[in-house]
Amino acid sequence: MNILATEYSLRHKALELYVAGCKGPHCPGCHNPETWSFDQGVPFDTVTKREIETKIKDFAHMIDNIWVLGGEPIDQDRKALEELLSFLRGFRPVWLFTRYELSEVSENILCHCSYVKTGRYNEDKLVDDNVQHGVKLASSNQKIHRLNN
Ligand code: SF4
C-alpha cells in the first residue's frame, strides 16, 4: 500500500492521508482520477510511519482527527490497511472515507475507526445539504456512520 499525499485540513482540524489506488468500476464523474493508480506515492513502512508521526506531533494543536481517504482505502492490501489504521488510532480518532457500504467493510477494519463515510460518488444524486458530523457530502446516498470505537 502506498501513501499518495498528506494534507492538513484547517477547517476540519484533521490530518488527511490519501492512499494511492482505486479499482474500477470507477464512479462516473470522479473528481480524483489522478488517485486511481496504485503505482505512485511512497510505501507505507517504518519511514513513512515516522514521518506521519512527526506531522501529527508538529501540529498537534491543529489536529483533532485523522482522515484516511483515497483513491479507495478498502481496495488496498487488507493487512497493510489494518496496520495503518491501528497505527493512526494511537494518536487521534480515525475517519475512514470509502465508496463501499458499511456491510462490505470487514470488522478488522471497522474496529480501528471512529467514523466511516460510505457510499460511492453519484453524479445523479448531487446535493448541497447533505452535512453529517460537520462534513459536507457530495451525493444524497452517502452517509457518515459513528462507530463505538
Ligand atoms: S471511489 Fe473515490 S477515487 Fe474511486 S472512482 Fe469513486 S470517487 Fe473516484
Side-chain angles (χ1 to χ4, degrees), residues 22-23 25-27 30-32 35-36 70-72 99 120-121:
C22 174
K23 289 179 186 166
H26 295 116
C27 313
C30 168
H31 288 238
N32 300 310
T35 67
W36 290 354
E72 172 50 69
R99 74 180 161 199
R120 63 169 53 236
Y121 174 78

